[in-house]
Amino acid sequence: MENDYKSLIAKIDKTKMPTHIAIIMDGNGRWANKHGLKRINGHKAGVKVVREIVETAREAGLKYLTVYAFSTENWGRSKIEVNYLLKLILDSLINEIDDLVENGVNIRFIGTEEHLPPGYDVKVEENCRRSWHNSELYLNVAMNYGGRRELVEAIQSIANKTKQGILQPEEITEQVISDHLYTAGMPDPDLVIRTSGEIRLSNYLIWQSTYSEFWFTDTLWPEFTRAEFIQSILDYQERKRRFGKR
Ligand code: FPP
């Protein structure tokens, strides 16, 4: 199995490597159900896979990886599951930060502060900050993230600048909007992966994914493998990207 994915890495055409891959990690609950476990065990199993995929992304020479950990819609789940996810995500960051720092990963959380428990953001930033000198792999964790919420915050910030006369309405361009998103300064995703057989975007990077290629698999996130991840890159390399042109 180990060699399996390494031989696939060797097949990657470095000249056509995607710069940014964004993943919707779906199917933890169904995986748990399938194994007669509680949903929270599905999320726990999912964290192990996040670790493997981050390692593999680094090995493959990927520059940006964004993973959808918790959406603004996820607050609608049971209190037990929400609290478990909040704790699991923060604990995983705290447990992994030393390794991430050592391995050249630059990690940041993208999302809104709204509804997060007091102090949560501070703990996230304290830990992430330790990695901000790194530049091998930029890892974004979309946490309390919603694409529409992101646009609302960007528009509010732009409107404030317009009100103060810092920015004229006619100066608002696509670039200005991109520069006010959580992903400011980062390239848009070239490839968006979603696991578990669902074929939708679910409020993920809605502005940034306009010209992304999409790759779907029926595999549930806890069963997603390094080899499958590399296969998504190989498939991407076969696509013809036209960006609306002929
Ligand atoms: C979707 O499966 C998964 C989530 C909402 C949470 C994903 C979070 C993790 C894997 C933890 C990530 C942690 C870090 C540190 C990045 P689902 O619950 O919607 O599954 P279902 O559709 O089968 O019910």
Side-chain angles (χ1 to χ4, degrees):
M1 272 315 258
E2 176 84 347
N3 284 333
D4 206 30
Y5 88 91
K6 293 219 167 152
S7 64
L8 286 176
I9 288 187
K11 288 189 190 165
I12 292 176
D13 176 350
K14 295 279 175 206
T15 66
K16 285 203 243 161
M17 185 68 191
T19 309
H20 184 175
I21 298 180
I23 308 182
I24 302 175
M25 313 180 287
D26 200 5
N28 294 346
R30 275 163 286 166
W31 178 87
N33 209 18
K34 201 171 98 177
H35 291 86
L37 300 167
K38 293 201 172 110
R39 291 180 60 82
I40 55 173
N41 293 106
H43 299 311
K44 202 168 147 194
V47 171
K48 272 173 79 180
V49 178
V50 174
R51 190 181 208 284
E52 285 178 13
I53 297 306
V54 171
E55 271 174 23
T56 312
R58 234 188 102 251
E59 278 180 68
L62 186 72
K63 218 60 210 166
Y64 291 86
L65 178 68
T66 303
V67 294
Y68 209 172
F70 188 94
S71 78
T72 46
E73 288 70 35
N74 287 154
W75 293 106
R77 297 189 175 197
S78 75
K79 221 176 151 128
I80 292 177
E81 186 172 349
V82 166
N83 287 340
Y84 183 84
L85 273 170
L86 293 177
K87 182 165 162 32
L88 177 71
I89 293 165
L90 184 56
D91 286 352
S92 303
L93 171 68
I94 293 169
N95 289 336
E96 298 291 341
I97 192 66
D98 285 348
D99 265 13
L100 292 166
V101 171
E102 256 173 55
N103 285 292
V105 179
N106 182 321
I107 182 169
R108 70 186 58 236
F109 277 38
I110 58 169
T112 178
E113 289 170 23
E114 202 179 47
H115 306 311
L116 284 177
Y120 196 92
D121 260 43
V122 178
K123 286 199 194 105
V124 165
E125 183 164 336
E126 260 171 26
N127 282 280
C128 288
R129 184 181 287 283
R130 294 184 41 213
S131 75
W132 289 350
H133 60 282
N134 281 338
S135 59
E136 206 163 313
L137 170 68
Y138 292 88
L139 172 63
N140 295 319
V141 177
M143 171 62 199
N144 198 16
Y145 174 89
R148 288 187 172 182
R149 177 72 213 174
E150 181 180 32
L151 278 171
V152 167
E153 290 184 9
I155 291 164
Q156 284 174 345
S157 157
I158 292 170
N160 270 322
K161 288 185 186 166
T162 312
K163 194 167 147 195
Q164 290 164 36
I166 301 169
L167 194 66
Q168 297 308 309
E170 57 279 12
E171 287 170 346
I172 302 169
T173 59
E174 291 185 11
Q175 187 60 49
V176 168
I177 293 172
S178 293
D179 291 345
H180 286 80
L181 300 176
Y182 308 139
T183 52
M186 299 180 200
D188 288 338
D190 301 292
L191 176 63
V192 176
I193 296 172
R194 184 170 190 150
T195 58
S196 90
E198 307 293 344
I199 305 191
R200 56 176 174 270
L201 200 48
S202 300
N203 205 10
Y204 193 41
L205 303 171
I206 53 176
W207 174 275
Q208 299 90 332
S209 64
T210 308
Y211 285 107
S212 304
E213 295 293 326
F214 288 83
W215 194 87
F216 298 101
T217 174
D218 286 341
T219 306
L220 304 173
W221 179 253
E223 290 170 348
F224 190 67
T225 61
R226 296 171 189 257
E228 213 174 353
F229 177 64
I230 300 301
Q231 189 57 51
S232 76
I233 297 177
L234 295 173
D235 290 351
Y236 162 87
Q237 298 194 321
E238 298 296 316
R239 306 259 181 106
K240 269 209 166 57
R241 304 188 73 194
R242 285 195 283 270
F243 300 97
K245 298 174 197 134
R246 278 200 43 160

